[in-house]
Amino acid sequence: MTPGRIIFLNGTSSSGKSSVARELLEILDDGVFFHLAVDAFNAMRSKRELGAEELDTALRRTRMGFHRSIAAMAEAGNDIVVDHVLSEPWRLLDCLTVLRPEDVLFVGVHCPLDELERREQDRGDRPLGLAANQYHLVHHHGDYDLECDTSTVSPRECAQQIKEFLPRRPSPTAFTRLRRRYLTDDKQPSTTPPLHSMSEL
């Protein structure tokens, strides 16, 4: 069975990832794509109040399960659009460990901070300051196959750029390069990533 392709969108909260993902599902016409979003996995959690430590543990398990769900779907031959926030280093390392790097088109979804803060204010469904907290973290690794800026082009235009780029994705891919950088024999990630309570998103 041929593994599925993975279009991996990474950006801060309110950067427009979900809008781009929805547009991709509308215009991609050479396969059957599924949108897997970290927010959707968060929404599946029971609603009872959790203490800080219990919440951190639950969120870590959620992220790890999310990454492995992406891998399982792709391994079964499904094409995937991933919507994620790599605001903690271990999240990227875990994805590099469980996803086939040659199958991943890694896309950086950018937006200037002032516009992120405006969107955050307008949405009203995110903690104020969340995007600012994530802003200098999500792209820290500094390597993508493709990048787009949702403050200068629409989600549909971003999706069109990705669609046109997908058949020409580079070799080695950004995930392959990042694996070589971070996952050498003496840099294997821990199987129990550190807790971090900065954000649920």
Side-chain angles (χ1 to χ4, degrees), residues 6-9 16-35 80-83 105 107 109 146 148 155-166:
I6 301 171
I7 300 173
F8 196 118
L9 308 177
K17 302 181 304 299
S18 296
S19 297
V20 174
R22 286 191 291 269
E23 294 291 349
L24 280 167
L25 262 61
E26 289 290 327
I27 68 172
L28 290 168
D29 53 10
D30 64 338
V32 178
F33 282 82
F34 294 83
H35 176 199
I80 308 297
V81 178
V82 175
D83 166 357
L105 175 63
V107 181
V109 181
L146 182 66
C148 60
R156 175 57 69 107
E157 290 170 313
C158 288
Q160 188 64 41
Q161 290 175 13
I162 294 167
K163 178 184 178 180
E164 293 171 1
F165 190 82
L166 184 60

Side-chain angles (χ1 to χ4, degrees), residues 162-178:
I162 294 167
K163 178 184 178 180
E164 293 171 1
F165 190 82
L166 184 60
R168 313 183 272 111
R169 60 190 186 276
S171 180
T173 65
F175 255 48
T176 299
R177 296 190 298 268
L178 289 165

Side-chain angles (χ1 to χ4, degrees), residues 3 8-9 22 25 37 42 53 90 95 97 109 115 127 129 132 137 142 149 155 162 187 197:
F8 196 118
L9 308 177
R22 286 191 291 269
L25 262 61
N42 287 331
E53 184 175 349
W90 80 262
C95 288
T97 301
V109 181
E115 174 62 13
L137 302 173
D149 185 336
I162 294 167
K187 294 181 180 178
S197 59

Side-chain angles (χ1 to χ4, degrees), residues 8 10-11 84-88 91-92 95 106 137-138 141:
F8 196 118
N10 175 49
H84 204 358
V85 184
L86 298 176
S87 57
E88 299 170 290
R91 300 185 193 186
L92 174 60
C95 288
F106 197 23
L137 302 173
V138 295
H141 56 275

Side-chain angles (χ1 to χ4, degrees), residues 22 33 44-45 56 72-73 80 99 106 132 138 142 147 169 185 190 198:
R22 286 191 291 269
F33 282 82
M44 289 189 276
R45 192 176 70 243
D56 281 342
M73 284 286 285
I80 308 297
L99 303 181
F106 197 23
V138 295
E147 300 180 72
R169 60 190 186 276
D185 289 342
S190 168
M198 182 186 70

Side-chain angles (χ1 to χ4, degrees), residues 173-191:
T173 65
F175 255 48
T176 299
R177 296 190 298 268
L178 289 165
R179 275 180 65 98
R180 291 172 181 167
R181 185 192 310 172
Y182 293 123
L183 300 185
T184 57
D185 289 342
D186 59 341
K187 294 181 180 178
Q188 289 298 319
S190 168
T191 56

